[in-house]
């Protein structure tokens, strides 16, 4: 293409390259080991979020006309009103009408694409929930074992207290208070560890 090379840049880029100045009409080039291909800035657009929901918007983006930057494949985003699912076959048919040699692949809705991106995240969440449930089960077994051992150790003491006139309620309170201290200390340590690991 013989027309001058042009580009549209993201709004974060001018503040780094041309602070306090208008970037329109300025010439920039992409950093690459190849010979510099200078392009004139003809527009500025907002920073764009990537399809990966955990990534911040890319701060430095260049947009070039397809005719000046031909590629083997491109992504096209189309906004429609209503459900996009039934329209997908029509998009493929319309593309074939324009150029039968154009191969259209992976037509999908934004919801389906987001599902692809977040699948690994949901898998990790499920694994974490499974490990948390397993840890809770093991902790419950540990508490049960510790309480059983503690009650067994205090059986003679409890019998002596009852012989001296203590009520069953008093013995129960003694056992529950000891168990509460055990559980409370375990919960405190567990919460601190959970907070630290949650931040990671």
């Amino acid at each position: 293409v013989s027309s001058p090379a042009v580009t549209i840049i993201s709004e974060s880029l001018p503040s780094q390259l041309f602070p306090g100045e208008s970037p329109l009409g300025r010439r920039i080039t992409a950093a690459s080991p190849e010979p510099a291909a200078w392009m004139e800035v003809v527009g500025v657009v907002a920073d764009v979020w990537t399809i990966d929901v955990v990534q911040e918007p890319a701060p430095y983006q260049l947009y070039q006309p397809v005719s000046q930057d031909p590629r083997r494949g491109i992504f096209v985003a189309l906004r429609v009103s209503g459900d996009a699912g039934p329209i997908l076959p029509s998009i493929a048919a319309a593309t074939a009408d324009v150029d039968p040699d154009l191969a259209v692949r992976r037509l999908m809705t934004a919801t389906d694409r987001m599902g692809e991106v977040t699948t690994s995240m949901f898998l990790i969440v499920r694994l974490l929930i499974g490990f948390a449930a397993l840890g809770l089960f093991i902790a419950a077994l540990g508490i049960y074992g510790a309480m059983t051992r503690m009650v067994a150790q205090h059986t003679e003491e409890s019998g002596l207290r009852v012989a001296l006139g203590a009520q069953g309620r008093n013995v129960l309170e003694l056992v529950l208070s000891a168990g509460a201290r055990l559980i409370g200390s375990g919960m405190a340590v567990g919460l601190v560890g959970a907070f630290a690991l949650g931040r990671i």
Side-chain angles (χ1 to χ4, degrees):
V1 180
S2 58
S3 59
V6 296
T7 185
I8 296 175
I9 61 177
S10 57
E11 62 183 356
S12 295
L13 191 54
S15 61
Q16 299 295 321
L17 297 179
F18 318 111
E21 303 178 16
S22 173
L24 299 180
R26 305 295 291 266
R27 297 174 71 238
I28 63 175
T29 183
S32 67
E34 302 175 359
W38 293 94
M39 301 167 288
E40 180 182 347
V41 178
V42 295
V44 180
V45 296
D47 295 339
V48 176
W49 287 84
T50 65
I51 195 67
D52 190 346
V53 293
V54 300
Q55 296 291 331
E56 293 292 330
Y60 309 126
Q61 297 171 334
L62 299 176
Y63 302 95
Q64 297 174 256
V66 174
S67 58
Q68 294 183 358
D69 184 28
R71 305 194 178 190
R72 293 178 59 87
I74 60 174
F75 291 91
V76 178
L78 182 65
R79 174 179 288 181
V80 299
S81 59
D83 184 12
I87 303 177
L88 296 182
S90 302
I91 297 175
T95 304
D97 290 340
V98 173
D99 188 345
D101 294 330
L102 288 177
V104 179
R105 297 181 300 168
R106 302 193 67 198
L107 275 175
M108 64 181 66
T109 64
T111 302
D112 293 338
R113 176 58 180 152
M114 291 298 295
E116 282 189 349
V117 173
T118 56
T119 296
S120 59
M121 297 171 57
F122 286 132
L123 176 60
I124 292 174
V125 169
R126 292 189 185 100
L127 286 175
L128 291 176
I129 291 175
F131 283 125
L134 179 61
L136 183 62
F137 176 71
I138 294 174
L141 285 180
I143 292 174
Y144 173 78
M147 290 292 294
T148 303
R149 179 178 176 80
M150 183 182 63
V151 171
Q153 289 176 339
H154 290 79
T155 299
E156 294 183 0
E157 178 185 349
S158 301
L160 182 60
R161 289 175 179 271
V162 172
L164 294 176
Q167 300 294 322
R169 177 172 54 85
N170 302 122
V171 175
L172 181 61
E173 289 177 354
L174 177 65
V175 174
L176 291 180
S177 62
R181 288 194 298 270
L182 178 65
I183 294 173
S185 59
M187 287 182 61
V189 175
L191 289 174
V192 172
F195 179 78
L197 292 176
R199 299 288 292 180
I200 296 176

